[in-house]
Amino acid sequence: MKNELEALNASVLPPDAKQIPHELEKHGDIRIDEYYWMNERDHPDVIAYLEAENAYYEQMTAHTKPLQQQLFEEMKARIKEDDSSVPYKYNGYWYYTRFETGKNYPLYCRKKEEMSAPEEVMFDNNVMAEGHSYFKQAGYSVSENNEIAVFGIDTVSRRQYVLQFKNLLTGEVYDTKIENTTGRAIWAGDNKTIFYTRKDPQTLRSSQIYKHVLGTNPDTDVLVFEEEDETFDVGVFKTKSRDYIFIGSSSTLTTEYRFTEAKGPDFEFKMLQERTRGLEYSVSHFKEHFYLVTNKDEATNFKLMKTPVSQTSKEHWVDVIAHREDTLLEDVEIFEDFLVVEERNEGLNKINIKRWDGTADYYLPFDSETYTAYIGINPDFDTQYLRYGFNSLDTPPSVIAFNMITKEKEILKEVEVLGGTFDKNNYESKRLWATADDGVKVPISIVYKRGITLDGSHPLLQYAYGSYGITSDPSFSTSRLSLLDHGFVFAIAHIRGSEYLGRNWYEDGKLLKKRNTFTDFIACSKYLIFEGYTNAGNLYAYGGSAGGLLMGVILNLAPELYNGVIAAVPFVDVVTTMLDDSIPLTTSEYDEWGNPNEKIYYEYMKSYSPYDQVKVQNYPNILVTTGYHDSQVQYWEPAKWVARLRDKNIADTKIYFETNMDAGHGGASGRFEALKETAKDYAFLIDLAGKAK
């Protein structure tokens, strides 16, 4: 039956996207976009095209439906369906999240004072999601008197949340609704005032901070701060001490904070340190000082400074932890007696524990060659326990309570992998180093079934992101076990554009050095082939969003290295998007990609832009996915790219395109729907590997 389906599919033609040449001119350079018409959202021709692509994808992959179902059942079977998070105590209540068997969405719960107290279900997202094809709650914030919660809801997947209020004592959800927010809000100490962030309705940039008083009409809310620089976003948060509320403005290169006392009543915001281009800092509060993780004084890898609350401008800042050339300082957690520092050295997470009085200074021991460790939720100052998390490519996540005085640790929870077949000793992970075109060593984290022979016969999936300084740490995935158990090797290429090897690793992978991101990935692919982990006929690549841009570039530069590529919500029409300041996120990302209104950035951007560089050549098998309501990468970018790829591809390969008409940048909502999307991706790869060249 399978062979009959494949024979039938061979005669099926993909949708024919009409070409209507549209001229785009900049700096005297003319680009012709024959698929520009797809930009018109909700046009009947656009909807018809997307639906035709979905139908083609469904028909061409129908033979993998049993495999998709098998993978979904495998992945679902590994999950403890009635799972819950480790509770943490805050302001007299234990808070936790739990799931119920067979249900897609979480329940947010709390118990008063003791875990033996009756459970209060604050939000049951399964009930709240009824009638919606997409549902997402953006967390919640509880008033200081523990009575009222403010929460944000998105039922479109456009990341435009509606804020609402719930009385946790009576269960009443108030009629008040505040539209077009980021979904989160901060309570002042008076139990009636909140501060929240509104978005620009067109660009979706977080641009305004408003003050709302409970019980009043949102139309009368007071605009507290508006960020007029289109390259900046704003947000609002409360310090761990609960003494101060901060408004932060940030761009890729620069930050600025204002603060006010959380207790009010006037809420007059004062400047901490006004923006200075290139000066970045984040802020914490402890007693009489603000603590700042900053790159001041050319501290490329950041350092820790402090300043009196009464004198906050940068001339008053003094060093607490000096800058180190070999160590990236990522964050700090402050306790009454201890300072805990999150660092990254040679790519590996480090947690440094220091006593304020200088009597102790040590690192938590981690034995693995490649792993992920991070500071968890620690809401209290006056405790000797640090909560942190640990996992690796072959070790399930654990939440650990560590006694900073006795150095004893207790595993509060280790994620259970159900199904009865998982044994971490059956897998092996390690770190490799490839050599880039310019001689730089690029790290690769890799995992596979223990005992495989490096004869080049194994299928390998290579993943990377490589932008915004975001680091893809080597973490565990129960879903990925399905790939490993089907004989795949999995690799994360820690390419430039992330901060895996420090801030300079990021600086060398953006703006006019962005091509390093792409050539690093290709160098890692060649290394993995050379070392016998796979071969060019059985190598696969995956990336999403800016990682989808990466996929687009490697497809143009080195298509012969890959048998299949998955590009999820890919940012591929770089030049056109970055020239359109009405599109969400464009202006705030000039410091990442460059401003193409300047000729030097225009030309450099065009030289790698996947859509602009598609050419007549042999392309491998490709699966492209997107969400119609995507707020980060508009659906038309991948739609146009797929049409042009098909037009130029001269190989006998398949190019599939699926649009989730109900979802946005993050894909489907609900844990099981997300698993189904993963099962589709894996089925595409496993099917290709079964026919590998």
Side-chain angles (χ1 to χ4, degrees):
M1 182 64 180
K2 178 181 175 183
N3 292 335
E4 291 175 9
L5 280 172
E6 292 177 350
L8 179 63
N9 287 345
S11 63
V12 176
L13 296 177
D16 184 17
K18 62 184 178 182
Q19 298 188 9
I20 305 175
H22 180 85
E23 190 174 289
L24 298 165
E25 187 274 334
K26 192 70 177 179
H27 304 300
D29 179 56
I30 296 176
R31 295 178 299 129
I32 303 298
D33 187 348
E34 63 274 28
Y35 303 110
Y36 192 83
W37 60 271
M38 294 186 188
N39 291 36
E40 193 172 348
R41 183 184 294 276
D42 297 334
H43 191 285
D45 290 351
V46 173
I47 299 297
Y49 173 70
L50 297 178
E51 290 176 344
E53 284 285 2
N54 283 351
Y56 175 70
Y57 167 73
E58 286 297 319
Q59 181 171 352
M60 296 299 292
T61 59
H63 66 282
T64 70
K65 288 290 186 184
L67 177 58
Q68 291 178 34
Q69 186 62 31
Q70 174 195 331
L71 292 168
F72 171 71
E73 296 296 344
E74 281 179 11
M75 292 185 284
K76 185 180 177 184
R78 295 190 192 102
I79 296 173
K80 185 180 180 183
E81 291 197 42
D82 58 347
D83 203 5
S84 62
S85 64
V86 178
Y88 66 91
K89 196 172 187 181
Y90 178 78
N91 196 23
Y93 279 82
W94 289 93
Y95 289 90
Y96 57 98
T97 304
R98 65 178 178 85
F99 287 89
E100 294 182 341
T101 301
K103 294 185 178 180
N104 245 321
Y105 295 96
L107 290 80
Y108 296 104
C109 308
R110 69 177 185 173
K111 295 183 178 183
K112 188 173 183 178
E113 292 297 345
E114 304 293 339
M115 281 302 295
S116 57
E119 180 182 79
E120 300 176 28
V121 177
M122 298 180 293
F123 303 99
D124 183 344
N125 282 182
N126 299 284
V127 175
M128 297 163 70
E130 289 177 2
H132 300 290
S133 56
Y134 178 90
F135 179 86
K136 178 74 172 179
Q137 178 175 340
Y140 57 88
S141 179
V142 179
S143 58
E144 294 288 339
N145 62 9
N146 294 312
E147 294 181 2
I148 310 293
V150 57
F151 61 101
I153 297 296
D154 176 14
T155 57
V156 178
S157 191
R158 192 76 176 157
R159 300 189 181 181
Q160 292 173 287
Y161 291 86
V162 178
L163 284 179
Q164 295 180 257
F165 297 86
K166 183 174 183 178
N167 187 312
L168 298 178
L169 303 183
T170 67
E172 178 188 2
V173 176
Y174 298 158
D175 292 335
T176 303
K177 293 185 177 182
I178 305 175
E179 307 278 346
N180 194 34
T181 78
T182 59
R184 295 182 182 274
I186 300 300
W187 285 95
D190 62 3
N191 298 304
K192 64 180 182 179
T193 304
I194 66 160
F195 294 87
Y196 65 92
T197 311
R198 269 200 175 133
K199 293 187 169 187
D200 182 288
Q202 181 175 9
T203 66
L204 303 188
R205 181 173 69 93
S206 303
S207 58
Q208 298 174 321
I209 303 297
Y210 275 87
K211 180 178 72 173
H212 173 81
V213 177
L214 199 64
T216 64
N217 188 328
D219 293 341
T220 65
D221 286 357
V222 176
L223 176 63
V224 176
F225 175 73
E226 181 166 17
E227 178 53 69
E228 296 181 353
D229 188 330
E230 293 183 344
T231 66
F232 280 73
D233 294 311
V234 297
V236 59
F237 71 93
K238 187 155 57 175
T239 57
K240 178 176 176 177
S241 65
R242 294 188 277 175
D243 290 338
Y244 293 96
I245 293 172
F246 274 85
I247 293 174
S249 292
S250 63
S251 70
T252 304
L253 298 174
T254 308
T255 49
E256 176 184 80
Y257 287 95
R258 293 164 171 80
F259 65 97
T260 187
E261 291 189 14
K263 64 183 178 182
D266 297 326
F267 304 113
E268 293 181 359
F269 283 85
K270 296 181 289 186
M271 180 70 70
L272 192 151
Q273 166 59 46
E274 65 183 16
R275 69 190 63 179
T276 303
R277 183 164 175 81
L279 176 63
E280 299 175 64
Y281 64 96
S282 59
V283 58
S284 304
H285 171 243
F286 182 57
K287 295 184 177 178
E288 294 83 25
H289 290 89
F290 291 135
Y291 287 79
L292 310 136
V293 175
T294 178
N295 65 348
K296 184 178 180 290
D297 306 321
E298 300 182 354
T300 305
N301 273 332
F302 292 80
K303 61 180 178 177
L304 182 65
M305 306 185 79
K306 71 176 182 179
T307 190
V309 170
S310 58
Q311 295 176 302
T312 62
S313 54
K314 62 184 179 181
E315 62 266 22
H316 300 291
W317 300 5
V318 297
D319 282 5
V320 177
I321 299 177
H323 176 251
R324 291 159 291 174
E325 295 291 341
D326 64 348
T327 300
L328 176 66
L329 198 164
E330 295 188 313
D331 204 357
V332 297
E333 186 72 62
I334 296 174
F335 297 88
E336 187 73 29
D337 297 322
F338 295 90
L339 172 66
V340 182
V341 186
E342 274 189 303
E343 304 173 354
R344 190 179 296 271
N345 177 265
E346 296 183 348
L348 300 180
N349 304 122
K350 307 285 187 180
I351 297 179
N352 182 204
I353 297 175
K354 301 171 179 286
R355 284 199 77 122
W356 289 113
D357 62 10
T359 59
D361 187 341
Y362 60 92
Y363 285 86
L364 292 181
F366 301 120
D367 299 327
S368 302
E369 187 175 351
T370 178
Y371 61 87
T372 298
Y374 55 90
I375 296 174
I377 300 174
N378 293 274
D380 294 328
F381 281 108
D382 190 14
T383 177
Q384 63 195 48
Y385 288 95
L386 167 71
R387 185 176 289 189
Y388 72 94
F390 177 88
N391 71 104
S392 69
L393 288 169
D394 54 9
T395 304
S398 296
V399 176
I400 299 162
F402 180 79
N403 188 315
M404 293 181 281
I405 295 176
T406 67
K407 299 184 181 180
E408 296 174 323
K409 68 178 185 179
E410 177 188 0
I411 298 177
L412 301 178
K413 178 180 180 178
E414 182 175 87
V415 169
E416 294 182 64
V417 182
L418 304 183
T421 61
F422 173 73
D423 180 348
K424 64 183 179 183
N425 296 313
N426 292 335
Y427 304 89
E428 182 174 357
S429 66
K430 60 184 178 180
R431 190 164 59 161
L432 311 171
W433 297 82
T435 303
D437 292 353
D438 58 359
V440 171
K441 295 292 185 182
V442 182
I444 307 168
S445 294
I446 194 165
V447 63
Y448 48 82
K449 289 290 284 286
R450 190 177 295 276
I452 68 167
T453 11
L454 301 182
D455 57 3
S457 65
H458 301 282
L460 186 148
L461 177 60
Q462 181 180 334
Y463 170 81
Y465 185 76
S467 291
Y468 305 106
I470 294 173
T471 298
S472 300
D473 283 313
S475 56
F476 187 79
S477 165
T478 58
S479 300
R480 191 189 303 131
L481 294 173
S482 290
L483 268 190
L484 301 181
D485 291 346
H486 275 86
F488 272 75
V489 177
F490 178 77
I492 302 172
H494 301 292
I495 53 183
R496 280 174 280 189
S498 75
E499 287 186 342
Y500 187 81
L501 291 179
R503 181 68 177 208
N504 284 328
W505 199 245
Y506 170 42
E507 299 293 339
D508 284 345
K510 70 174 187 178
L511 296 174
L512 298 177
K513 296 180 179 180
K514 189 63 201 173
R515 292 183 73 89
N516 286 335
T517 298
F518 317 130
T519 54
D520 282 1
F521 190 90
I522 292 170
C524 290
S525 297
K526 291 178 178 178
Y527 175 84
L528 291 167
I529 292 169
F530 180 79
E531 292 295 322
Y533 287 96
T534 190
N535 62 75
N538 220 356
L539 175 60
Y540 306 89
Y542 177 92
S545 194
L549 161 66
L550 169 63
M551 297 298 101
V553 177
I554 66 162
L555 281 168
N556 288 330
L557 294 181
E560 72 283 355
L561 290 179
Y562 309 95
N563 187 36
V565 170
I566 299 178
V569 292
F571 174 41
V572 284
D573 192 9
V574 183
V575 179
T576 307
T577 291
M578 294 304 296
L579 281 168
D580 187 351
D581 59 13
S582 71
I583 293 176
L585 306 183
T586 292
T587 54
S588 63
E589 299 197 354
Y590 286 158
D591 287 334
E592 178 72 25
W593 311 102
N595 182 350
N597 292 296
E598 299 177 35
K599 188 175 182 180
I600 186 173
Y601 290 111
Y602 173 89
E603 292 178 343
Y604 188 80
M605 205 176 283
K606 183 183 174 184
S607 75
Y608 66 75
S609 173
Y611 186 57
D612 292 285
Q613 297 304 321
V614 172
K615 57 192 173 187
V616 176
Q617 64 175 342
N618 292 315
Y619 284 97
N621 301 285
I622 303 169
L623 170 61
V624 181
T625 61
T626 192
Y628 185 62
H629 299 288
D630 196 327
S631 59
Q632 317 299 106
V633 179
Q634 308 304 308
Y635 72 86
W636 58 73
E637 290 197 44
K640 296 192 303 180
W641 180 50
V642 165
R644 186 173 280 181
L645 279 169
R646 285 227 191 88
D647 185 54
K648 302 297 184 184
N649 183 27
I650 56 175
D652 184 23
T653 52
K654 301 300 182 185
I655 300 176
Y656 300 140
F657 178 46
E658 184 188 33
T659 303
N660 187 326
M661 301 302 289
D662 297 319
H665 200 63
S669 63
R671 54 178 176 163
F672 299 137
E673 292 306 309
L675 284 182
K676 289 176 183 176
E677 290 190 342
T678 303
K680 282 185 176 183
D681 292 345
Y682 285 4
F684 173 76
L685 297 171
I686 293 168
D687 185 53
L688 288 178
K691 310 169 191 170
K693 295 176 274 187

